Amino acid sequence: MANPLQLAYRTQKAIGVFDADPVYEALPGFTKPEGNLRCCVYSGCGRYFAYATNEGVVIVDATVGHVLTSLPIPAVYELSFSPHGTYLSTWERPAKDENGDATKNLKIWRTIEELADGAEKQPIGKFVQKSANGWNLQYTEDERFCARIVTNEVQFYNSNDLGTVWNKLRVEGVSDFALAPGKNQNVAVFVPERKGHPASVKVFNVPQFTSPISQKTFFKADKVQLKWNQLGTALIVLAQTEVDKSNKSYYGETNMYLLSANGSFDARVTLDKEGPIHDVSWSPNSKEFGVVYGYMPAKTTIFNHRAVATHSFPLGPRNTIIFSPTGRFALVAGFGNLAGQIDVYDLEKDYRKITTIESGNPSVCTWSPDSRYILTATTSPRLRVDNGIKLWHVGGGIMYNEDMVELYNVIWRPVPANNLPNVDPLHPVPTPHPSALAYLGTVKTPSKPVGAYRPPGARGSSTPLHFKREDEGGAAHSVSNGVPQVGPNGFGRPRRQIPGAEFAEPARPSVPGAAVDDENLSKTALKNKKKRNKKAKEGQAQGEGVTTPNEGGLAPPRESVDGRSPDRNHQRHHSRSQSRSNNLAVRTQNNHRSRSNVRQPNAPAQQAAPVVDAAAAAAQSANAKKIRSLQKKIRAIEDLEMRHAGGEKLEDTQLKKIATKGSVIKELEALEKEGH
């Protein structure tokens, strides 16, 4: 019988090793350590498991749980094994010795070595490593060489001799590097932008450092993620800036590039949806990779090794893509501030969707080594409540559940590919653990979502498109790029549409001096217009009985207020007096015209004409209101017909409303004919 799947977890007070399917019990030979436990890790080969306590580092046999050896180094904060578990790296917090010099806090140890009786285990190499980011050495796949970055160069060592630098790769301004896995012993280095020069990524073959075998230069890159495929034949460069100068994103700008290790291909990966790149991941087959990108709802696309899109999954609130270890499945999920839904796809069955898992709020999500299970866990300090682990079958069912207090970390034990059983992950479905059944008993049945609040006038009608997400048929996300959006009249932001209300037609620009249509005015504007008309009529009536100053003779001369002569006063206020006299002359001419019009014998006929026009306009306005009301009814009936055709069960009153469609259309046609 093959060894069961195994995982290890670290809580506030203990570290545990747990055998999963099919036994679901703690490893019998492992003694749980308690106290202040800072980290734990498996070796890449799966043979060893190490954890750090206040007293030192303990290495155990992962198969049976027995202690193999221990290292007398307290206060270790990070642990890491070499690819085959031959070497163990430990990192302590930076400190200074008595002379004020920095202590060598990065130490490399042989995992298993024979010692004489009473001899104490000693490290084979020591380094000063101040930063916890990228603290560990990087090894080649065969563990022959290892490397670390220092100022302006990458230093290479023979893994058996860490006291002497074997070779150096000198690159001015290098800030990050990545050794390629697989048999290709290549190294990629990154140099950020500097003094107007573009950033660059160069690939060298170890140890031929005279010239790069592949390189790419680009702007907008303060930092990068270097992602090699498992064979080490291609490299993805995910470049990111700290600040987005276009003001489209608070988190900076992201771009992605693809380079081949032999220099035959390099290109920028073109994405067809605007927005940030949330995640990128290589498939274990090293021939394709997946990218989640764009403003929410994000788009997920699979690309081949030439950066050509081969398949796109439906849009949705997703930000994570993880391929299974066998490469058959891929999960596309939304974690963090998203709902925690996990979509599982079968890539070998025409990208068929298998299931959607409602995982809650996990902060850890990983595949089991055999691709049959998905592990989700809610950990501290991101969330200090509802901590625990859950195991899900790839078909969507929950297999195991355990709640814990302040869970900090959980990891699978690696299993070499040649030790995995050759069975179908989907069939047969294993029997769930009793804890899974108990968990299902506590989960509330999901009720129909109530959705967003809708005012009474909008209930029963379809949601306007600009209130829907893009994956629900709504409009695509658009960014103003720092430029304020303007309304149809050229000023201010456009008004938001009220859900369920009719779409307002954009206001037509008015011609100066032309008549304004009362139907397009708001209530306040119409009220103000009536007040102005009333005041104008009153002023006109009063003007008919008033004699202008010019008709009654000359006005008496005005005395000077400040004691100056009238001539000086006139010169001082010449422009003001001239404007006043011009306005007075205009008003006098208008009064003459109004009196002459009143004296004409056909005045009653001319006054009756506006009354007839007003009556016709009122009748036309009433018909227009009826037409709009009937058009609204037809839209509501068509919406009910679409819901009914989609399989939704309607009420009797709604079915009766659908039956009246013919009569409503006839009535609308009759009104339209009357209008013509």
Side-chain angles (χ1 to χ4, degrees):
M1 176 180 175
N3 292 329
L5 296 175
Q6 187 182 105
L7 55 88
Y9 60 87
R10 179 172 65 93
T11 64
Q12 182 185 19
K13 298 181 179 180
I15 288 179
V17 178
F18 181 83
D19 284 338
D21 180 53
V23 294
Y24 296 107
E25 61 182 17
L27 185 64
F30 180 76
T31 303
K32 281 187 178 182
E34 296 182 355
N36 188 8
L37 308 168
R38 295 188 179 92
C39 55
C40 62
V41 66
Y42 279 104
S43 62
C45 59
R47 290 183 298 168
Y48 308 117
F49 175 71
Y51 60 89
T53 66
N54 285 335
E55 290 76 24
V57 176
V58 180
I59 303 174
V60 302
D61 186 338
T63 304
V64 294
H66 298 161
V67 176
L68 297 176
T69 185
S70 60
L71 306 177
I73 45 172
V76 171
Y77 284 84
E78 298 289 348
L79 292 170
S80 181
F81 282 97
S82 60
H84 298 297
T86 307
Y87 306 101
L88 175 66
S89 304
T90 62
W91 183 83
E92 307 164 57
R93 282 186 174 177
K96 294 184 178 181
D97 57 14
E98 298 176 355
N99 299 327
D101 299 328
T103 59
K104 296 183 177 181
N105 57 330
L106 171 58
K107 300 174 182 178
I108 315 299
W109 312 75
R110 286 189 182 275
T111 305
I112 301 297
E113 62 180 347
E114 296 182 0
L115 298 174
D117 294 340
E120 191 176 86
K121 200 176 184 69
Q122 296 294 328
I124 61 174
K126 297 180 181 181
F127 304 95
V128 176
Q129 180 64 37
K130 295 181 180 180
S131 175
N133 296 326
W135 64 272
N136 192 22
L137 301 179
Q138 294 189 28
Y139 288 85
T140 57
E141 185 67 23
D142 57 2
E143 294 186 349
R144 181 182 176 187
F145 301 110
C146 60
R148 66 187 298 260
I149 189 172
V150 295
T151 304
N152 295 331
E153 65 183 20
V154 179
Q155 296 178 347
F156 287 81
Y157 298 85
N158 190 315
S159 299
N160 293 321
D161 182 13
L162 299 180
T164 305
V165 177
W166 172 71
N167 209 333
K168 296 179 182 180
L169 172 58
R170 180 76 181 181
V171 180
E172 189 72 22
V174 60
S175 64
D176 196 6
F177 81 105
L179 280 175
K183 297 180 180 179
N184 295 325
Q185 293 185 351
N186 297 326
V187 58
V189 294
F190 168 68
V191 179
E193 295 182 51
R194 184 181 180 185
K195 296 181 180 180
H197 295 283
S200 63
V201 170
K202 299 179 181 180
V203 178
F204 295 87
N205 182 264
V206 181
Q208 301 171 3
F209 298 147
T210 55
S211 62
I213 57 178
S214 179
Q215 61 180 334
K216 182 71 175 176
T217 59
F218 43 85
F219 286 97
K220 298 181 180 180
D222 297 329
K223 58 182 179 180
V224 297
Q225 296 180 36
L226 304 174
K227 295 178 177 286
W228 286 99
N229 60 3
Q230 285 193 4
L231 296 179
T233 57
L235 172 70
I236 289 176
V237 180
L238 182 60
Q240 183 176 1
T241 59
E242 299 290 347
V243 178
D244 185 3
K245 295 182 179 179
S246 62
N247 295 327
K248 293 183 179 180
S249 174
Y250 178 79
Y251 300 99
E253 189 175 355
T254 53
N255 293 290
M256 189 166 57
Y257 306 90
L258 179 63
L259 289 78
S260 62
N262 56 9
S264 61
F265 177 80
D266 67 86
R268 177 179 176 178
V269 180
T270 304
L271 305 176
D272 56 357
K273 184 174 173 59
E274 187 180 8
I277 299 174
H278 304 287
D279 192 20
V280 56
S281 177
W282 276 104
S283 171
N285 60 22
S286 298
K287 298 179 180 179
E288 57 186 2
F289 59 92
V291 186
V292 185
Y293 58 96
Y295 295 109
M296 292 296 163
K299 187 174 184 179
T300 305
T301 302
I302 303 296
F303 295 85
N304 62 14
H305 65 287
R306 305 291 289 185
V308 178
T310 58
H311 182 78
S312 292
F313 297 107
L315 299 179
R318 305 290 184 264
N319 58 8
T320 304
I321 180 170
I322 307 175
F323 289 89
S324 65
T326 58
R328 176 178 174 180
F329 306 107
L331 67 83
V332 181
F335 298 135
N337 59 351
L338 301 178
Q341 293 180 328
I342 302 175
D343 297 329
V344 183
Y345 296 92
D346 191 341
L347 306 184
E348 296 180 358
K349 301 294 183 181
D350 198 22
Y351 301 95
R352 178 177 61 90
K353 183 178 179 179
I354 300 174
T355 185
T356 296
I357 299 173
E358 300 288 344
S359 62
N361 298 306
S363 46
V364 175
C365 180
T366 55
W367 285 93
S368 64
D370 59 357
S371 300
R372 295 186 68 194
Y373 301 97
I374 299 172
L375 168 68
T376 63
T378 303
T379 59
S380 296
R382 180 180 175 270
L383 287 176
R384 297 189 181 275
V385 295
D386 299 331
N387 284 190
I389 60 176
K390 295 181 180 65
L391 287 181
W392 309 83
H393 186 251
V394 68
I398 185 169
M399 297 289 108
Y400 180 80
N401 174 70
E402 183 176 355
D403 296 330
M404 299 181 181
V405 177
E406 289 201 30
L407 174 65
Y408 291 114
N409 190 23
V410 57
I411 50 177
W412 286 103
R413 176 191 179 188
V415 179
N418 53 3
N419 293 345
L420 294 174
N422 189 14
V423 296
D424 185 4
L426 289 172
H427 305 287
V429 178
T431 303
H433 188 263
S435 62
L437 301 178
Y439 169 77
L440 293 176
T442 60
V443 175
K444 296 181 180 179
T445 304
S447 58
K448 185 178 179 181
V450 295
Y453 170 76
R454 298 172 70 91
R459 292 170 188 170
S461 60
S462 60
T463 305
L465 295 181
H466 58 276
F467 281 100
K468 291 184 178 181
R469 291 203 313 255
E470 189 175 353
D471 56 331
E472 296 175 346
H477 178 90
S478 61
V479 180
S480 62
N481 193 19
V483 179
Q485 300 177 3
V486 296
N489 61 348
F491 299 95
R493 300 178 65 90
R495 292 185 178 181
R496 296 182 63 184
Q497 175 70 21
I498 300 174
E502 295 183 11
F503 290 94
E505 296 181 359
R508 296 184 295 273
S510 60
V511 180
V516 182
D517 189 2
D518 291 350
E519 293 181 3
N520 294 331
L521 296 178
S522 63
K523 291 182 178 180
T524 305
L526 190 59
K527 186 177 180 181
N528 292 337
K529 182 182 177 183
K530 289 180 180 179
K531 288 182 178 180
R532 289 195 299 269
N533 292 340
K534 186 176 179 181
K535 288 182 179 180
K537 290 179 181 179
E538 291 177 356
Q540 184 177 355
Q542 293 176 2
E544 293 177 358
V546 177
T547 305
T548 60
N550 292 339
E551 290 181 349
L554 296 175
R558 184 166 57 89
E559 295 181 358
S560 174
V561 178
D562 54 359
R564 296 180 183 177
S565 64
D567 295 338
R568 285 178 172 268
N569 241 2
H570 177 72
Q571 291 176 1
R572 184 181 181 187
H573 304 286
H574 174 72
S575 59
R576 185 182 301 174
S577 302
Q578 185 178 3
S579 62
R580 287 179 178 175
S581 62
N582 290 339
N583 293 337
L584 184 60
V586 172
R587 287 198 295 269
T588 305
Q589 293 176 5
N590 291 337
N591 290 338
H592 281 300
R593 291 174 184 173
S594 63
R595 282 196 294 273
S596 62
N597 290 337
V598 172
R599 297 190 187 99
Q600 293 179 3
N602 57 349
Q606 292 181 357
Q607 291 178 358
V611 177
V612 176
D613 294 341
Q620 187 176 2
S621 176
N623 288 342
K625 289 181 180 179
K626 290 182 180 179
I627 290 174
R628 288 198 299 269
S629 177
L630 293 175
Q631 289 175 345
K632 185 176 180 181
K633 286 183 180 180
I634 291 175
R635 287 197 297 269
I637 291 173
E638 290 176 348
D639 180 51
L640 291 175
E641 288 177 342
M642 292 179 63
R643 291 163 57 187
H644 187 58
E648 184 176 347
K649 187 176 180 181
L650 302 180
E651 299 179 0
D652 294 339
T653 55
Q654 293 174 324
L655 295 175
K656 290 179 181 179
K657 188 174 183 179
I658 293 176
T660 61
K661 182 178 180 181
S663 60
V664 174
I665 293 176
K666 289 181 180 179
E667 187 178 354
L668 177 61
E669 291 175 351
L671 287 175
E672 289 178 346
K673 289 180 180 179
E674 290 179 5
H676 294 297

